[in-house]
Amino acid sequence: QVQLVESGGGLVQAGGSLRLSCAASERTFRSYVMGWFRQAPGKEREFVASITWNGGPIAYANSVKGRFTISRDNAKNTVYLQMNSLKPEDTAVYYCAARLSLGAKWDYWGQGTQVTVSS
């Protein structure tokens, strides 16, 4: 059972940056596909980015392409989401997720971290 713990959320002004981290509880983390999702108030949870076990292929939602970067450090069992040029519409609870392979269900989820972007 993989446990995921997110950190790094907070309040930032539009145009600013934040880096989210997601620490996994198991060494087997390095074999998982990792992803970030977000959910804004009154909206459904949406995909943000994902990365395979060896650092690629990487996928991004169109809304964050060119502004967000996903990366992972398997030695630290951690995946990151660098968020630049933040916009008020990026405000949401951000969740880290893991799945065993591409095409599998996202079986493991963190508790979420709040990101608020003020205009």
Side-chain angles (χ1 to χ4, degrees), residues 28-76:
T28 51
F29 156 88
R30 61 196 64 189
S31 66
Y32 286 79
V33 178
M34 301 300 298
W36 287 96
F37 291 75
R38 67 186 182 186
Q39 187 167 19
K43 295 187 177 181
E44 293 187 354
R45 186 164 51 193
E46 64 175 0
F47 169 81
V48 174
S50 66
I51 186 169
T52 58
W53 70 273
N54 62 353
I58 292 174
Y60 294 100
N62 288 334
S63 58
V64 306
K65 278 182 181 177
R67 299 187 299 122
F68 290 12
T69 302
I70 188 172
S71 62
R72 66 191 294 164
D73 185 338
N74 288 340
K76 296 182 178 179

